[in-house]
Amino acid sequence: NIIIMVVGTSNDQKLKNLSVTLSTNGSAAGSIKDTTFSSKSLNYAFKYKVTGTVGDKQTLTFKLTDDNGATSTKAITISVAPVLKSLGQSSAQMIYNIQGTNKGAYDLSTGNPAAKSDPEAIKDIKDMTPSSAIFNSTWGSGNGSLFAKLTANDYINATTSTHIYNHWTSKAATATATIAGITQGDVYVIKAGQVGVAFPYYLIRIDKVTVTASDNNDVIAFSYQMAH
């Protein structure tokens, strides 16, 4: 929780109303506080519990109104930063050619592969081989995940959630919805598209790309790091 002090004085009328609205990431503002009073001045401690997802920008707008209808408005923006956590690593994970019988997608939040028939909403990573083509070493997602390429050292040296988040913020402007030509040793930072995941950022390292002949058993093996 945070406390924001709201201080105001009316020169010739009594203050009568304080309203507070909240907008998240530019969305329409909604009322979260509306209180009336009658005094020449105000010294009010507004308590606010910050919620939401890492990376959110929350804008609080404070509006004071006096008896004469005069108003004064001030706004502050809060950026939701990650809680510092150590990283865990999951290795020997597989995403197969989605046109084959093996699982060609992956849910990063649970650490489980996903089948072609599973809901798109859980497919943070998905093989993008089309039904009319051969395996193309391309990943996308079913839920709007974004990918940005890093270096091998970025993966090796990451130890906390802050490292992952800082990698994302430095690369977000160049992130893409798909990555093609995936090869062994590639490293990516991913912002997963799943709704309701508090920290949807991950580091991925490609460990091996195996291309097979005419059987759709092609597979990309990878490791990834996540906050825990």
Side-chain angles (χ1 to χ4, degrees), residues 156-217:
I156 293 168
N157 295 330
T159 59
T160 70
S161 54
T162 299
H163 290 139
I164 296 182
Y165 184 65
N166 287 345
H167 284 313
W168 170 254
T169 56
S170 70
K171 296 289 187 177
T174 59
T176 58
T178 60
I179 46 176
I182 297 170
T183 59
Q184 183 174 330
D186 284 352
V187 172
Y188 299 92
V189 59
I190 298 180
K191 181 181 181 183
Q194 278 202 60
V195 176
V197 178
F199 190 80
Y201 305 93
Y202 305 87
L203 293 183
I204 305 287
R205 183 184 65 203
I206 306 303
D207 296 327
K208 189 176 182 180
V209 179
T210 302
V211 180
T212 61
S214 305
D215 59 6
N216 289 334
N217 287 326

Side-chain angles (χ1 to χ4, degrees), residues 59-160:
T59 300
L60 295 167
T61 301
F62 299 82
K63 182 179 179 181
L64 275 173
T65 305
D66 70 13
D67 279 340
N68 203 34
T71 63
S72 178
T73 302
K74 299 292 182 182
I76 64 170
T77 298
I78 299 168
S79 297
V80 181
V83 175
L84 183 64
K85 293 185 177 180
S86 60
L87 299 182
Q89 177 167 286
S90 184
S91 302
Q93 302 305 300
M94 307 288 182
I95 294 178
Y96 285 85
N97 183 333
I98 202 163
Q99 301 304 331
T101 58
N102 294 303
K103 294 183 177 181
Y106 200 88
D107 180 343
L108 289 166
S109 68
T110 63
N112 293 316
K116 187 176 182 178
S117 59
D118 285 331
E120 293 296 297
I122 69 168
K123 296 174 184 175
D124 298 316
I125 306 174
K126 181 171 74 170
D127 174 70
M128 300 301 287
T129 303
S131 58
S132 59
I134 62 173
F135 180 69
N136 58 8
S137 296
T138 298
W139 281 356
S141 74
N143 57 21
S145 296
L146 294 172
F147 305 78
K149 198 168 187 179
L150 300 177
T151 69
N153 283 338
D154 291 332
Y155 190 92
I156 293 168
N157 295 330
T159 59
T160 70

